[in-house]
Amino acid sequence: MARTGNKNIQAKLVLLGDMGTGKTSLVLRFVTGKFLEYQESTIGAAFFTQVLSLNEATIKFDIWDTAGQERYHSLAPMYYRGAAAAVVVYDITSMDSFLRAKKWVLEVQRQANPTLIMFLAGNKADLEDKRKVGSEEGEQYAKENGLVFLETSAKTAQNVNELFYEIAKKLAKAS
Ligand code: GDP
Ligand code: MG
């Protein structure tokens, strides 16, 4: 395949959302292809890199996986300022985590770079029997706020690569 005009893009990506929603699990699924039932809580933030190749561009992600606890909240701007993309994660089995996700969206919209591309991920989509947040609710909120929305499962890998491909495609388009 012709690769004329192939761009190399380095992009800072930040994951935000309540503790326990699966941020680390999503990143590890994307970076290592694996899932752990007993994922240790992130302290402060963790850093990962991953390269994704599209036809039109190669994206090198610098991923900041934040902790999500209230006591680390004051650190969050350090991670989302200067980020090209953010993924706000909630857990479909927790209405609280969805409400917190909305707060993150507002905060980032107010304070981050206006060109930042934001995604909303309703994670743990494998736990359908424990669902508390309807797909339509997530979808509707995302639509109203100009976010790309996906329901994901770090456990089954549902929509995980799709999420990062969507991010890469949007970044390639914007660059
Ligand atoms: P974080 O605090 O947002 O980084 O969340 P973690 O990645 O540490 O995950 C918290 C817990 O939820 C861990 O026990 C994970 O194994 C579990 N978990 C994460 N993603 C999923 C998922 O998609 N489905 C299910 N069933 N459990 C998940
Ligand atoms: Mg974590």
Side-chain angles (χ1 to χ4, degrees):
M1 195 179 288
R3 284 187 174 253
T4 47
N6 197 318
K7 291 181 273 192
N8 277 307
I9 299 165
Q10 183 153 8
K12 180 176 165 187
L13 168 68
V14 63
L15 279 94
L16 300 165
D18 250 6
M19 181 187 150
T21 54
K23 298 178 295 300
T24 301
S25 300
L26 285 168
V27 175
L28 288 176
R29 171 59 86 183
F30 173 53
V31 172
T32 70
K34 296 193 178 110
F35 174 76
L36 295 171
E37 285 291 342
Y38 302 101
Q39 183 59 52
E40 276 182 47
S41 299
T42 310
I43 296 171
F47 178 70
F48 302 86
T49 63
Q50 178 70 308
V51 177
L52 225 167
S53 292
L54 306 173
N55 280 330
E56 65 274 29
T58 300
I59 320 283
K60 181 177 176 277
F61 284 112
D62 286 339
I63 305 173
W64 286 98
D65 168 27
T66 65
Q69 286 105 314
E70 203 47 50
R71 67 187 141 117
Y72 297 119
H73 196 136
S74 61
L75 300 177
M78 224 163 65
Y79 300 108
Y80 61 68
R81 287 207 186 111
V87 182
V88 176
V89 182
Y90 66 91
D91 168 352
I92 67 149
T93 73
S94 158
M95 187 51 81
D96 254 17
S97 76
F98 184 54
L99 300 178
R100 289 276 305 139
K102 291 181 179 181
K103 290 196 176 147
W104 277 115
V105 171
L106 280 176
E107 177 174 337
V108 172
Q109 281 174 341
R110 284 199 196 109
Q111 302 202 37
N113 189 330
T115 62
L116 178 142
I117 304 165
M118 207 168 356
F119 294 76
L120 182 67
N123 190 45
K124 308 197 187 181
D126 55 290
L127 299 177
E128 192 54 55
D129 52 331
K130 294 190 182 132
R131 181 191 281 279
K132 298 285 187 315
V133 186
S135 297
E136 336 60 58
E137 268 181 279
E139 182 118 45
Q140 181 66 26
Y141 177 77
K143 203 171 163 191
E144 286 164 7
N145 290 275
L147 317 172
V148 181
F149 173 68
L150 281 174
E151 283 196 343
T152 57
S153 168
K155 186 167 183 173
T156 65
Q158 174 192 335
N159 275 344
V160 178
N161 283 341
E162 286 79 356
L163 172 67
F164 288 94
Y165 269 97
E166 282 302 315
I167 298 169
K169 275 194 262 171
K170 284 245 172 188
L171 289 170
K173 214 171 174 185
S175 78

